[in-house]
Amino acid sequence: MKMKTMLWTAAFLLAASHVFSQSKDVIIEDFQPSSVNQPGHEYPMVNSQGRVRAQLFAPDAKYVQLDIGGVKYDMINDGEGLWTGVSAPQDVGFHYYQLSVDGALVPDPGSLFFFGACRYGSGIEIPSDDMDIFALKDVPHGHVQEVYFPSESTGTDRRAFVYTPPCYQKDQGKRYPVLYLQHGYCENETSWPIQGRVNFIMDNLISEGKALPFIVVMTYGMTNEIEFGGLRNFDITPFQTVLVEELIPYIDSNFRTLANQENRAMAGLSMGGFETKLVTLNRPDVFSSYALFSGGTYNADEIKEHSGLKLVFMGCGSKEFPDGVNNAAAALKEAGYNAVSYVSEGTAHEFHTWRRCLYEVSQLLFK
Amino acid sequence: MKMKTMLWTAAFLLAASHVFSQSKDVIIEDFQPSSVNQPGHEYPMVNSQGRVRAQLFAPDAKYVQLDIGGVKYDMINDGEGLWTGVSAPQDVGFHYYQLSVDGALVPDPGSLFFFGACRYGSGIEIPSDDMDIFALKDVPHGHVQEVYFPSESTGTDRRAFVYTPPCYQKDQGKRYPVLYLQHGYCENETSWPIQGRVNFIMDNLISEGKALPFIVVMTYGMTNEIEFGGLRNFDITPFQTVLVEELIPYIDSNFRTLANQENRAMAGLSMGGFETKLVTLNRPDVFSSYALFSGGTYNADEIKEHSGLKLVFMGCGSKEFPDGVNNAAAALKEAGYNAVSYVSEGTAHEFHTWRRCLYEVSQLLFK
């Protein structure tokens, strides 16, 4: 008994000292303003460890907290009402966050706002060593067009964003393939063009000759009306009708597209991947390339009657289920399909995983 | 003396009772969610008097206030941490606002966010009886294109938004006139396309045959770097270079424009009107129509050598300086110019004044 107690005590002390040493980890003082701050704002800042330092003037608050990655970090009052706090290191890439002021959960007025986590709220960019892929560079730029297309099935005119490649405005005779690209649960049609940085990823790939120029269409996947956890009972029909019967015909009659299966792809992240899978299984005649980003896998049985299928892409973060996408791609290849898996190193279920997935799949599409 | 004292006392009592009766005015309980709330949010709400009712859950706050129109209104805790407060009646149209939680000035998480007042923050729409002019209707819609154009003078690729009319995508042979439209101080290139609702105003006017189809271009006027009150010393040169030497050539080579003075107009609100005046006086060869919204006036002497000038439009809110624009237009007409003034009834220096100005001038342009 005594031995056992001693062992438990030693284990506890080891565990405690581990927690203690982590919480006491040196904070490297190389903080820089986040790249997605409001104009003129120094805070929030990020350091080379991926820590976030937030600051808020709240002269009469009892407590202020930085709420990021599911953890609330206490901020400290300098005695004059200026509260500052630092988070633990975050994964590289893009994260949603908020502040708590005496329990009120509010956006940080220092950051730009993004639709994610079911709301427009604060976001922060943790620098990665491949930020270059989505940087605004001095290359020819495509346009992101906000369009409203008629939708009889929903009784309203619906919004979509359409990326047209840099050459689109110049050569008025040329027609282009189209990728339909879906956001995830608790996101909307602004998520890909804004935090997803679709236009910059495409501009850069096209200018380097790594991707063929194609059009990217992003609309709202009608994903957010369901109850959390209700994914199993999700009905794809209303969105499939909007996408296939209303949006695709609008795009094909208002943009210079190559309007056929061979030149049409569908991709989606997370729940948008789930939607991509449902739509492509229901309508194998519409798209010739399928891509799921942190959004599940296909097996050979599911797609065995899909004629004209050119590519199946399945990606996710290394902190998600890399074996899942790798094994699924290996099995599809074994069965004779052109299947590709991709694992984003060091990232989880976050937008940087999906930007990298887009970067990868765009180099394979329509070739 | 006694008589005088009595009169003063009576006057004071009258004034006091007036204030008293105003502050005790009945609040009409017909509040509806604001039309620019976040998805699924009931608050903030607006009633038929133009009062704003805000609500925030702030369980440990000492005080919460609604800060709108330069006034802070105390909100009341229901005892469970849910704070609610109501403002005085606001003018119809669009207003920026924020909340104070124990002195921390933060966006209201219930509203959508807009760039104005030098920041992205909360906005609210007070219904007017002419909201129809900017409503999303079942009519053909133009596209709003986000473009990045090269700018050698500033060493960066700069953003603009370009409205193309509904017919633009359909008739690939037709060319269109262009209106260059500037935001005001503490706003940016998103202000006109978002809270200004340019695309809906134009879609509706064009579908009713009230305006000719034309392109509208909105970019950042580089207005916000100056010190407040430094308007007199504002140097137009950097922006004029971007606009005339860089943006106009980009638009003319990437869109199907009628690329000449006759088919080019410039307009701006507030400080954007001031910029419009400076640019058009410096470069009378570039534009043929000038429009100032709450942004000053022209006199005949200033434009006497402007050949090709077709229209001078000057508008403002009835709560601003209506005599100023009316007298200036009368004097210009007297001097033989095609000058028009417009007064927006019941509004001040706010976006609804400027939406109405755009609605009016768009019916006159390029005819």
Side-chain angles (χ1 to χ4, degrees):
Chain A
M1 280 291 275
K2 202 175 172 188
M3 188 60 183
K4 204 171 175 184
T5 306
M6 276 174 67
L7 276 170
W8 275 113
T9 306
F12 172 80
L13 285 172
L14 269 168
S17 80
H18 182 65
V19 168
F20 186 75
S21 77
Q22 275 210 332
S23 68
K24 285 283 180 191
D25 258 351
V26 172
I27 294 172
I28 299 175
E29 283 301 333
D30 58 357
F31 286 89
Q32 297 288 331
S34 158
S35 61
V36 293
N37 279 1
Q38 293 224 15
H41 279 254
E42 204 181 4
Y43 285 88
M45 303 184 98
V46 187
N47 79 352
S48 57
Q49 300 169 294
R51 293 181 192 272
V52 176
R53 176 172 278 163
Q55 191 171 84
L56 185 73
F57 184 64
D60 299 321
K62 281 175 280 196
Y63 64 93
V64 181
Q65 294 168 312
L66 164 61
D67 181 357
I68 186 166
V71 179
K72 288 194 174 76
Y73 300 90
D74 287 328
M75 295 166 67
I76 310 295
N77 189 340
D78 72 348
E80 318 249 301
L82 190 63
W83 299 75
T84 309
V86 180
S87 79
Q90 307 292 308
D91 290 341
V92 298
F94 188 84
H95 305 276
Y96 307 114
Y97 77 101
Q98 60 188 352
L99 301 179
S100 165
V101 183
D102 287 339
L105 300 174
V106 292
D108 180 348
S111 95
L112 296 178
F113 303 127
F114 304 86
F115 197 79
C118 282
R119 62 173 182 242
Y120 287 95
S122 292
I124 195 159
E125 187 72 48
I126 311 294
S128 62
D129 54 17
D130 63 344
M131 291 179 81
D132 197 55
I133 67 173
F134 62 79
L136 168 61
K137 296 186 197 170
D138 184 19
V139 299
H141 298 293
H143 296 174
V144 178
Q145 308 200 24
E146 181 190 42
V147 311
Y148 284 85
F149 63 99
S151 164
E152 208 175 290
S153 71
T154 60
T156 179
D157 290 348
R158 305 183 69 83
R159 182 162 74 162
F161 290 95
V162 181
Y163 169 81
T164 52
C167 45
Y168 186 87
Q169 303 295 133
K170 294 290 192 182
D171 180 353
Q172 298 274 333
K174 202 177 166 195
R175 295 188 163 267
Y176 296 86
V178 186
L179 167 65
Y180 289 82
L181 181 62
Q182 290 308 126
H183 61 84
Y185 182 63
C186 280
E187 298 174 340
N188 70 9
E189 69 275 20
T190 69
S191 304
W192 266 117
I194 299 182
Q195 56 266 46
R197 298 181 73 86
V198 165
N199 52 327
F200 300 120
I201 292 172
M202 294 305 303
D203 288 348
N204 294 334
L205 281 172
I206 293 167
S207 81
E208 292 171 29
K210 291 181 178 169
L212 294 175
F214 57 83
I215 293 168
V216 185
V217 178
M218 299 152 278
T219 197
Y220 177 51
M222 304 161 72
T223 55
N224 302 339
E225 286 77 13
I226 59 163
E227 290 298 309
F228 194 77
L231 211 57
R232 250 170 255 270
N233 303 319
F234 177 70
D235 180 8
I236 192 67
T237 315
F239 174 60
Q240 184 176 307
T241 301
V242 166
L243 178 69
V244 177
E245 310 297 336
E246 297 170 341
L247 179 56
I248 291 179
Y250 180 86
I251 297 298
D252 284 338
S253 72
N254 283 274
F255 292 85
R256 298 194 315 276
T257 63
L258 292 161
N260 55 40
Q261 182 205 15
E262 186 186 351
N263 289 289
R264 206 181 285 124
M266 185 170 181
L269 73 87
S270 189
M271 188 171 173
F274 182 64
E275 292 187 321
T276 297
K277 183 168 172 178
L278 293 175
V279 171
T280 55
L281 294 187
N282 288 340
R283 292 296 303 268
D285 55 313
V286 180
F287 305 96
S288 57
S289 295
Y290 312 160
L292 312 181
F293 308 160
S294 308
T297 56
Y298 290 90
N299 67 52
D301 214 43
E302 290 168 326
I303 55 176
K304 64 173 184 274
E305 293 182 10
H306 287 216
S307 67
L309 179 57
K310 291 162 69 179
L311 172 70
V312 177
F313 178 99
M314 296 165 292
C316 71
S318 66
K319 300 187 175 186
E320 296 189 277
F321 46 92
D323 289 351
V325 299
N326 287 336
N327 294 342
L332 284 177
K333 268 188 264 191
E334 184 75 20
Y337 291 95
N338 179 26
V340 175
S341 65
Y342 166 73
V343 176
S344 163
E345 204 46 52
T347 63
H349 204 72
E350 299 271 7
F351 238 107
H352 199 50
T353 300
W354 307 321
R355 293 163 172 165
R356 285 172 169 174
C357 284
L358 178 67
Y359 179 81
E360 295 296 325
V361 77
S362 293
Q363 299 179 55
L364 306 175
L365 285 173
F366 311 119
K367 284 185 172 172
Chain B
M1 279 292 273
K2 201 176 174 187
M3 187 60 181
K4 204 171 174 183
T5 304
M6 277 174 68
L7 277 170
W8 274 113
T9 305
F12 172 79
L13 285 172
L14 270 169
S17 80
H18 182 65
V19 168
F20 185 75
S21 78
Q22 274 210 333
S23 68
K24 284 285 180 188
D25 258 350
V26 171
I27 295 172
I28 299 175
E29 285 299 336
D30 57 359
F31 287 88
Q32 296 288 332
S34 159
S35 60
V36 293
N37 280 0
Q38 292 224 17
H41 280 255
E42 203 182 5
Y43 286 88
M45 303 185 98
V46 188
N47 78 353
S48 57
Q49 300 168 294
R51 294 181 192 272
V52 176
R53 175 173 278 163
Q55 190 171 86
L56 185 73
F57 183 64
D60 300 321
K62 282 175 277 195
Y63 64 94
V64 181
Q65 295 170 311
L66 164 60
D67 181 357
I68 187 167
V71 179
K72 288 194 174 76
Y73 300 90
D74 287 329
M75 294 165 66
I76 310 295
N77 190 339
D78 71 348
E80 318 247 301
L82 190 63
W83 298 74
T84 308
V86 180
S87 78
Q90 308 291 309
D91 289 343
V92 298
F94 189 85
H95 304 276
Y96 308 115
Y97 77 101
Q98 61 188 352
L99 300 180
S100 166
V101 183
D102 288 339
L105 300 174
V106 293
D108 180 348
S111 96
L112 295 179
F113 304 126
F114 304 86
F115 197 79
C118 282
R119 61 172 183 243
Y120 287 95
S122 292
I124 195 160
E125 187 73 48
I126 311 293
S128 61
D129 53 18
D130 63 344
M131 291 179 79
D132 197 55
I133 67 173
F134 62 79
L136 168 61
K137 295 186 198 170
D138 184 19
V139 299
H141 298 291
H143 297 173
V144 177
Q145 309 199 23
E146 182 189 42
V147 311
Y148 284 84
F149 63 97
S151 164
E152 208 175 291
S153 71
T154 60
T156 180
D157 290 347
R158 305 183 69 83
R159 183 163 73 161
F161 290 95
V162 181
Y163 169 81
T164 52
C167 44
Y168 186 88
Q169 305 293 133
K170 294 289 190 182
D171 179 353
Q172 297 273 334
K174 203 179 164 195
R175 296 188 160 267
Y176 296 86
V178 186
L179 166 65
Y180 289 83
L181 181 62
Q182 291 308 126
H183 61 83
Y185 182 63
C186 280
E187 297 174 342
N188 70 10
E189 69 275 20
T190 68
S191 304
W192 266 117
I194 300 183
Q195 57 266 46
R197 298 181 73 86
V198 165
N199 51 329
F200 300 119
I201 292 172
M202 294 304 303
D203 288 348
N204 293 335
L205 281 172
I206 292 167
S207 81
E208 292 171 28
K210 290 181 177 170
L212 295 175
F214 56 83
I215 293 168
V216 185
V217 178
M218 300 151 278
T219 197
Y220 176 50
M222 303 160 72
T223 54
N224 302 339
E225 287 78 14
I226 58 164
E227 291 296 309
F228 194 77
L231 211 58
R232 248 172 258 271
N233 303 319
F234 176 70
D235 180 9
I236 192 68
T237 315
F239 175 59
Q240 185 176 306
T241 302
V242 166
L243 178 69
V244 177
E245 312 295 338
E246 297 169 343
L247 180 56
I248 291 177
Y250 180 86
I251 297 297
D252 285 338
S253 73
N254 283 275
F255 291 85
R256 298 193 315 276
T257 63
L258 292 162
N260 55 39
Q261 181 204 15
E262 186 185 352
N263 289 290
R264 207 180 284 124
M266 184 170 181
L269 74 88
S270 191
M271 187 171 172
F274 182 64
E275 292 188 321
T276 298
K277 183 169 172 177
L278 292 175
V279 170
T280 54
L281 294 187
N282 289 341
R283 292 295 303 267
D285 56 312
V286 179
F287 305 96
S288 58
S289 295
Y290 312 160
L292 312 180
F293 308 160
S294 308
T297 56
Y298 291 91
N299 68 51
D301 215 43
E302 291 168 326
I303 54 177
K304 65 173 183 272
E305 293 181 11
H306 287 215
S307 67
L309 179 58
K310 292 163 68 181
L311 172 69
V312 176
F313 179 99
M314 296 166 292
C316 71
S318 67
K319 299 187 175 187
E320 296 189 276
F321 46 95
D323 289 352
V325 298
N326 287 336
N327 294 342
L332 284 177
K333 268 188 263 191
E334 184 75 22
Y337 291 93
N338 179 25
V340 175
S341 64
Y342 167 73
V343 176
S344 162
E345 204 48 49
T347 64
H349 203 72
E350 299 272 7
F351 237 106
H352 200 50
T353 300
W354 307 320
R355 292 162 173 166
R356 285 172 169 172
C357 284
L358 178 67
Y359 179 82
E360 295 296 326
V361 77
S362 293
Q363 299 179 55
L364 306 174
L365 284 173
F366 310 118
K367 284 184 172 172

